Amino acid sequence: MTIINRTTDRGPAPGDGHPLPWLVPAIAILAAFYAVPVLDVLRLAFSDASLLAPASRYSTDAIGGVLADPALPVVLGTTLVFTLANVAALQLAGLCIALVIARGERRGLRGMAAFRTLVLAAWVVPGIANGLVWQMLFDEAPYGTLNSLLGYVGLGPVAWLSDPQMAMASAVIANLWQGTAFSMIVFYAARRAIDPTLYEVAELDAATPWQMFRYITLPLMRRLIAVNTVLVTVQTLNTFDSILALTGGGPGRATEVLALFTFNTVFYNLDLAGGSVLAVLLFAIGMGCALLVHYVIGRERPAA
Amino acid sequence: MKKTLFLAAAASALPVMGTAQDLVMRTRVGLADAPNTLTFRLTAYDLYSSDPATKAAFEALFTDFITARPDWKIETQLQTGNIGQEQARLLQQTQAGRGPDCAMIDSSQLALFKDNGVLKPMNDVFSDAEVADLFPFVRDAVTDADGNVLAWWWFTDLRVLYRDTSVVPDAPQTWEDLKSAALSAVEQGREGILFNGGRWEGTAFDWLANVWAQDATLVDDNGAPVFASGENREKVLTAIAYYQDLVDSGAAPARVTSITDYDSFNAAAAAGSAAMFIGGNWQYGQLRNTLPPKTFANWAVSEIPGPTADQRATGTGGWTIAALTDDPAKASLCGEIAKEIYAGPGNAAQGLLPTSAAIYDQYDTYDGPEYDLFSAALQNGVARPGAAIYPELSNQIQIMLGDVLSGTATPEAALDTADAAVQAAFDRQ
């Protein structure tokens, strides 16, 4: 039997009974850069602060005002549609591309790295630029890019941005184009982590590609799919820059999501307190999604 | 001998030239060791313009200005193009005592700064005659009840009707004329009339000309919104119905609800797809530089049509320069920057519309016939209401027009929704 002496020449290890000093830097950084701003937003939500004057009193007036705003249900509905459509599409597109790349690499196809880079290129485009690029593509003028292409094959024109329903679809397409890369990276990493022996055994058992996906790939990627769902949901909830550039939230409020509504409340309305209430709401929704998935993952975790 | 003299002169001029170039830096104008400092927050469209000619012109103006004041240096701070956000930040910083000594303030935000009492008089820089020569809407905006000059509105702009005279030979004078001309253009395969209808400030501002032409008001003397009550309500509904009819009749394409910039009109003019559009005066120069001369010759400008020929209005914008410091010497220097650099020579360098009639006669830049039209139209100019609620009012007008023009809401319902939202926002302010 070997007795392990945990005290080494370098001094005590972090777990030797005094972990706090080791955690202080991390706690301080988290507090300074994360908790303090969040707490300040929470404070502002209970204030009467505007961009013209600092908080002079604290009450629940701003919360009441925001919750009673008839526009809020409309905006929440728009946010729900935008988020659900994006999360579903982003997951599906990201998964498909990741599996295509993984399969291509397994078969030694050339150009897979270039393909992966091409998808990633969209990810580094700033949201505003993404919105402007798609605004040009969706331009409904007689010389608009997509409508002109559709015209060559006898289709269209499509009211990409002027019709409220199509404007939402266009906003989803623009966000999908940019955000797919993130899901693709997550799924690609997850797919690469699966032991290839499993697929080799499945092939020996004459499993079809669908069966391998259904009974090997999907179950083993399930937890990362759940994590990605949270990340993508939070990302989508926070999206406002590309919509701002693409439609500005219009026509009317057709594409005004919660993040954009928050921006407008602060910078059009000059209502810092109201904007803070909306920011807290956005934070709560994001946190709720994260906790939900954490709970689901926790239930699935096998006993040690 | 002559050669020797020339070389000597050139050699002696070198330090001077070098100094002149060094006087304008990225964040400073003047010598670094000058004892007095003025901080000046400006936009990126003049001294630091991406256009080399504009940049050079303003560098020369600033160099002359600071050379005449060797005891001063100007520390420059650039604003981004996000006007609402920048101006809100500027006001906040000024109220907290962290603002610049002198700043460019968007004309739409000027009243907000006035109401908050952060602007300092620059009376000793501007004579009574110079103030009297300002256009009426400008004079009202830059002075207070005691006659103090609180800012100098150094250029303005306005909205006009552009038309391709090969399709629409005569300038429409009334809304009905405009609709008829647009429908006629549609029959000839063109888009009849284009205007901003998407979700941005331009939509509200351009459309408000139709409201102001009926003498409607948006806010009362206390800055409270009254656009949806009393006589104003009917006038606003009439103006909404006018736009709705243009779209429903096909005189304007449904795509106007997706137009969120003036460049779309230039593109349509270049493509030959539109017969008319409501645009800004600055687009005249852009069209001249963009279109082939023969095509450009077909384009003409006229006043925005009104409900009747004698009911006209046009929205006016532009930028002001104001002192935010308590130091009288700095406030004076701020006024001198506005007067000696921007109003007049700065206007002429960029072809921007001056705010006083005298400057139009002073510079050759304004000899073109279009400037006679712009100058005349400015007599019907209306500035945005000087009230803190205006940005939200504009936001709600954009939503209202988008909903009506896309068929999502009736004019009455959309107006009621906008009114409720604006009143709620006003109550919270």
Side-chain angles (χ1 to χ4, degrees), chain B residues 30-387:
Chain B
L31 297 172
D33 55 359
N36 303 308
T37 303
L38 177 95
T39 49
F40 178 40
R41 191 168 298 176
L42 70 170
T43 59
Y45 309 125
D46 34 74
L47 182 61
Y48 299 118
S49 170
S50 55
D51 173 44
T54 302
K55 184 174 161 58
F58 275 89
E59 278 182 350
L61 288 169
F62 268 93
T63 300
D64 291 347
F65 183 85
I66 209 68
T67 304
R69 295 164 180 82
D71 290 343
W72 284 92
K73 64 175 177 289
I74 302 168
E75 287 185 354
T76 54
Q77 305 169 356
L78 267 184
Q79 302 185 33
T80 67
N82 191 334
I83 294 173
Q85 204 170 337
E86 280 287 353
Q87 299 283 289
R89 186 179 299 140
L90 175 64
L91 181 56
Q92 255 191 331
Q93 290 174 338
T94 305
Q95 286 177 320
R98 292 181 282 108
D101 301 319
C102 180
M104 283 196 187
I105 296 173
D106 186 64
S107 59
S108 66
Q109 310 281 328
L110 184 62
L112 199 59
F113 283 74
K114 273 172 77 176
D115 289 349
N116 280 276
V118 296
L119 305 182
K120 306 302 174 191
M122 303 186 292
N123 299 343
D124 56 337
V125 179
F126 301 100
S127 68
D128 291 345
E130 285 167 332
V131 175
D133 196 40
L134 292 169
F135 289 122
F137 70 92
V138 174
R139 193 167 52 243
D140 292 345
V142 300
T143 54
D144 65 9
D146 299 328
N148 290 314
V149 179
L150 296 179
W152 199 252
W153 195 326
W154 68 277
F155 84 89
T156 187
D157 53 37
L158 75 160
R159 278 67 186 157
V160 286
L161 176 70
Y162 287 79
R163 73 183 194 283
D164 183 340
T165 54
S166 68
V167 184
V168 184
D170 300 319
Q173 302 297 319
T174 66
W175 291 351
E176 200 52 47
D177 290 348
L178 180 81
K179 183 183 167 189
S180 301
L183 287 173
S184 170
V186 171
E187 285 173 10
Q188 296 174 59
R190 297 283 195 96
E191 291 182 310
I193 170 81
L194 297 179
F195 49 81
N196 281 302
R199 187 85 185 269
W200 82 299
E201 161 65 10
T203 293
F205 193 42
D206 295 359
W207 171 79
L208 281 172
N210 303 300
V211 175
W212 289 323
Q214 302 174 73
D215 276 336
T217 49
L218 303 176
V219 297
D220 65 14
D221 293 341
N222 299 317
V226 294
F227 69 106
S229 59
E231 286 183 359
N232 293 326
R233 181 182 176 81
E234 285 312 307
K235 290 171 180 172
V236 167
L237 283 172
T238 303
I240 301 172
Y242 162 54
Y243 260 32
Q244 187 185 28
D245 185 40
L246 287 176
V247 173
D248 289 352
S249 66
R255 80 173 178 99
V256 290
T257 58
S258 68
I259 296 179
T260 53
D261 59 56
Y262 290 100
D263 292 342
S264 300
F265 307 140
N266 290 347
S273 62
M276 293 181 285
F277 64 85
I278 304 287
N281 65 284
W282 63 90
Q283 290 184 266
Y284 194 83
Q286 292 173 344
L287 290 182
R288 179 165 38 211
N289 296 334
T290 311
L291 302 180
K294 199 176 168 185
T295 309
F296 175 70
N298 286 334
W299 283 90
V301 286
S302 58
E303 278 196 74
I304 295 174
T308 63
D310 55 357
Q311 287 180 292
R312 304 294 187 106
T314 182
T316 55
W319 283 83
T320 70
I321 292 174
L324 305 168
T325 172
D326 290 325
D327 183 337
K330 289 183 178 180
S332 292
L333 194 71
C334 182
E336 286 162 11
I337 289 173
K339 184 177 177 177
E340 295 180 28
I341 296 178
Y342 285 93
N347 290 151
Q350 292 177 287
L352 298 172
L353 296 183
T355 53
S356 62
I359 299 177
Y360 284 90
D361 300 327
Q362 207 176 328
Y363 294 92
D364 295 343
T365 310
Y366 304 110
D367 286 347
E370 71 275 18
Y371 287 105
D372 294 337
L373 180 276
F374 296 151
S375 182
L378 278 174
Q379 300 300 330
N380 294 320
V382 183
R384 293 170 177 89

Side-chain angles (χ1 to χ4, degrees), chain A residues 8 15 68 97 103 106 112 122 135 160 197 215 230 232 244 256 279:
Chain A
T8 66
I97 294 171
R103 192 173 177 83
R106 194 157 61 91
M112 284 298 108
Q135 192 188 43
W160 296 106
T197 317
Y215 297 106
V230 176
V232 166
L244 184 67
E256 188 169 11

Side-chain angles (χ1 to χ4, degrees), chain A residues 137-216:
Chain A
L137 292 172
F138 287 137
D139 190 349
E140 293 174 38
Y143 43 83
T145 310
L146 285 179
N147 276 347
S148 295
L149 291 173
L150 288 173
Y152 288 131
V153 292
L155 298 172
V158 177
W160 296 106
L161 300 174
S162 60
D163 177 78
Q165 280 78 39
M166 274 311 300
M168 172 56 81
S170 302
V172 171
I173 291 170
N175 195 57
L176 179 64
W177 178 78
Q178 188 180 28
T180 297
F182 180 80
S183 295
M184 185 270 285
I185 295 167
V186 173
F187 293 142
Y188 175 72
R191 172 63 186 79
R192 289 290 298 258
I194 298 174
D195 187 350
T197 317
L198 294 172
Y199 293 100
E200 288 164 12
V201 171
E203 274 178 5
L204 287 175
D205 288 342
T208 63
W210 167 250
Q211 286 172 322
M212 284 194 270
F213 173 73
R214 173 70 184 81
Y215 297 106
I216 299 174

Side-chain angles (χ1 to χ4, degrees), chain A residues 65-146:
Chain A
V66 167
L67 295 180
D69 187 344
L72 186 61
V74 179
V75 169
L76 287 176
T78 303
T79 308
L80 183 70
V81 172
F82 181 74
T83 306
L84 285 180
N86 263 302
V87 170
L90 285 168
Q91 302 268 56
L92 193 64
L95 186 61
C96 288
I97 294 171
L99 293 179
V100 165
I101 291 174
R103 192 173 177 83
E105 285 179 346
R106 194 157 61 91
R107 296 191 161 204
L109 285 182
R110 298 178 68 180
M112 284 298 108
F115 182 40
R116 205 168 56 220
T117 309
L118 195 66
V119 177
L120 279 172
W123 194 37
V124 298
V125 174
I128 289 283
N130 178 45
L132 291 173
V133 166
W134 280 97
Q135 192 188 43
M136 284 190 272
L137 292 172
F138 287 137
D139 190 349
E140 293 174 38
Y143 43 83
T145 310
L146 285 179

